[in-house]
Amino acid sequence: MFKTAFAALSALWLATAAGAEELKMAVTTSFANSGLAEVLLPEIQKDTGIEVQLLVVGTGQALKLGEAGDVDAVLVHAKAAEEAFVEAGHATHRREIMYNDFIVVGPAGDPAGAKAAGSASEAFALIEEAQAPFVSRGDDSGTHKAELKIWASAGIEPAGDWYKAVGQGMGAALNTAAGMDAYIFADRASWLNFDNKAGLDLLFEGDPALFNQYAYLPVNPEKHAHVKADAAKALEDWLVSDKAKGLIEGYQIGGQQLFHFNAEAM
């Protein structure tokens, strides 16, 4: 169970404040699970008058919502998919905002020896060789796409009883891994904000391949005239501001910084 109480957050996100302009933004479950939304959303509304309603899904589904014009903007973390989204004309542009990293989590006893690996792909290869239980999100999210890229770099197509694709968000996948005492590929922010760690531990980190960039994509009003392009632009301006930088870089759990701001002027 996450420290973030989703019922309370939903009430915060969906309650309409007097005079506030609503904007719908599709975001990844890893961003929502991190707890950063609780910090940013009230400040966004206070500074801009925009009430951001979050639709919390995986990156693949978030981009589909943008393509359909069901949201005004998207905040996700799968660069190749984002660039294809812009190239297809579904977004006006892609703006990098912040980054964190992925990690490999698993049983504290580490039966596969992943902790001693020299790279993420070697850690995955050791897990497959040991046929140790591994939980995959399996949901076409940015995290899932990054996981599959590492399996591919290891020359492995994961399959078998040891590999469980749950088709769910980061929180549910971590809960499943905790229940199974299994390995899992996760983003650091969700892991640190996750209460039900059970017998799991952070086993592998630090490979450049685990870099995890988040980007903002305003939905193209030429495709969907009803989208709130002005509000999306105002939100983008806020997200790249010094105020946002301070809040993003100041957000910590257990003394650890979860996100690093890297937005650049356009």
Side-chain angles (χ1 to χ4, degrees), residues 234-253:
L235 175 58
E236 179 178 345
D237 289 344
W238 190 93
L239 287 171
V240 302
S241 69
D242 289 341
K243 171 78 172 284
K245 178 180 180 180
L247 292 170
I248 290 167
E249 296 205 331
Y251 181 59
Q252 297 185 351
I253 294 178

Side-chain angles (χ1 to χ4, degrees), residues 148-193:
L148 292 179
K149 188 174 180 180
I150 293 174
W151 284 119
S153 70
I156 296 169
E157 186 171 342
D161 292 341
W162 63 276
Y163 185 80
K164 182 177 180 62
V166 295
Q168 298 187 61
M170 196 71 256
L174 279 165
N175 272 321
T176 300
M180 294 177 58
D181 203 28
Y183 290 89
I184 186 169
F185 185 75
D187 68 286
R188 184 183 299 272
S190 293
W191 168 249
L192 289 174
N193 202 37

Side-chain angles (χ1 to χ4, degrees), residues 207-222:
D207 187 329
L210 301 179
F211 179 79
N212 182 28
Q213 177 72 54
Y214 286 80
Y216 179 82
L217 299 94
V219 173
N220 192 346
E222 293 184 3

Side-chain angles (χ1 to χ4, degrees), residues 185-203:
F185 185 75
D187 68 286
R188 184 183 299 272
S190 293
W191 168 249
L192 289 174
N193 202 37
F194 180 62
D195 284 334
N196 182 29
K197 291 182 169 64
L200 301 182
D201 203 358
L202 193 166
L203 298 176

